[in-house]
Amino acid sequence: MKVLVPVKRVVDYNVKVRVKSDNTGVDIANVKMSMNPFDEIAVEEAVRLKEKGVVTEVIAVSCGVTQCQETLRTAMAIGADRAILVHTDDELQPLAVAKLLKALVDKEQPGLVILGKQAIDDDANQTGQMLAALADLPQATFASKVEVADGKATVTREVDGGLETITVTTPAIITTDLRLNEPRYVTLPNIMKAKKKQLDTVTPADLGVDAVPRLKTLKVSEPPKRGAGVKVADVAALVEKLRNEAKVI
């Protein structure tokens, strides 16, 4: 069984994000970039399935600029067997990414597609669901446990009321939640081995996909700064401020 693992290059989660002075977007000049943490969990899960003997090949995929190759090399250092870069300098929105992944699913015919439930930059949480709809495949989102056997995947999902366990037939789409696993530390020998692994580059045109953005960002701004807190003398004063100043009751 093949597993396709899409990974996204995002601003590192330790970096304080800054908005450009002209409010056109986020400033990423000279900013540390890394693999989206949820996608890192997806790669780790795919590699663990391979170590169990359930999976034969793990293919990492990234869509975007040339620098996404670094993210793919990281995925291969974790344990992916090969990688595919869909190279484009255009802004990619969730629907465009889902269409690109659908074209790769048609080409590679994986038994599973495991991807992060959302990216920490746009927090869209859309690509996995859109891919499932486009490819007409069953989906199991927000997975905190995955077991694959006999052509089926049993997935424990994190839902508002607790946990839900479902079974889907493969091929299927799985999106990972935070508690699915803890990604392994990437060692230097594995980083060196990753440099020799196969990395193919294609374009949206090669896949027959129109990746033109459907949405236009009008303005990006930082959230308003929180005001200073105040001490109140008693409950009556607190209620008065909540009612008349904060207007929350």
Side-chain angles (χ1 to χ4, degrees):
M1 178 193 288
K2 286 184 186 177
V3 175
L4 201 68
V5 186
V7 295
K8 186 175 183 181
R9 178 177 179 263
V10 299
V11 175
D12 190 87
Y13 67 92
N14 288 312
V15 173
K16 178 175 172 55
V17 176
R18 300 186 183 279
V19 175
K20 292 180 181 177
S21 58
D22 59 1
N23 295 112
T24 57
V26 173
D27 187 4
I28 59 172
N30 301 315
V31 170
K32 182 183 178 184
M33 308 291 282
S34 62
M35 187 189 300
N36 178 46
F38 289 104
D39 295 339
E40 196 171 357
I41 291 169
V43 177
E44 174 67 26
E45 189 64 22
V47 173
R48 290 188 184 189
L49 288 173
K50 184 184 175 186
E51 290 172 346
K52 290 178 183 177
V54 177
V55 169
T56 55
E57 186 179 28
V58 178
I59 309 164
V61 179
S62 192
C63 306
V65 296
T66 305
Q67 290 88 335
C68 291
Q69 290 184 8
E70 301 167 11
T71 308
L72 290 171
R73 294 293 180 194
T74 301
M76 289 190 285
I78 294 173
D81 299 292
R82 60 186 173 94
I84 302 170
L85 171 63
V86 183
H87 181 266
T88 177
D89 293 322
D90 296 331
E91 176 194 357
L92 287 175
Q93 294 172 351
L95 180 57
V97 175
K99 288 180 178 179
L100 292 168
L101 294 177
K102 196 267 183 183
L104 288 172
V105 167
D106 291 342
K107 181 181 177 181
E108 296 288 344
Q109 295 292 309
L112 284 175
V113 181
I114 307 178
L115 66 162
K117 69 172 184 178
Q118 66 194 74
I120 62 171
D121 51 3
D122 58 17
D123 272 336
N125 185 10
Q126 295 176 343
T127 304
Q129 293 88 331
M130 287 178 169
L131 174 59
L134 291 172
D136 194 24
L137 294 175
Q139 59 177 308
T141 55
F142 317 139
S144 61
K145 184 179 180 182
V146 176
E147 294 178 350
V148 180
D150 302 324
K152 294 182 179 180
T154 303
V155 180
T156 302
R157 304 179 61 237
E158 300 206 354
V159 295
D160 290 341
L163 298 176
E164 176 187 54
T165 302
I166 63 173
T167 299
V168 293
T169 55
T170 58
I173 312 295
I174 296 175
T175 71
T176 63
D177 213 326
L178 198 62
R179 281 159 287 279
L180 179 57
N181 61 53
E182 184 174 341
R184 69 194 66 191
Y185 179 77
V186 180
T187 61
L188 183 59
N190 286 337
I191 293 173
M192 301 306 293
K193 289 177 185 176
K195 292 182 178 181
K196 297 179 181 179
K197 291 183 179 180
Q198 180 182 346
L199 196 161
D200 300 321
T201 301
V202 296
T203 64
D206 294 335
L207 298 173
V209 175
D210 176 14
V212 174
R214 263 59 176 181
L215 306 174
K216 181 180 180 182
T217 301
L218 302 178
K219 182 180 179 182
V220 178
S221 57
E222 293 187 8
K225 288 184 169 55
R226 292 181 61 180
V230 294
K231 290 185 178 181
V232 294
D234 50 34
V235 174
L238 173 62
V239 172
E240 190 273 332
K241 285 187 177 293
L242 289 175
R243 178 177 291 122
N244 300 322
E245 292 185 21
K247 298 187 185 301
V248 293
I249 59 173

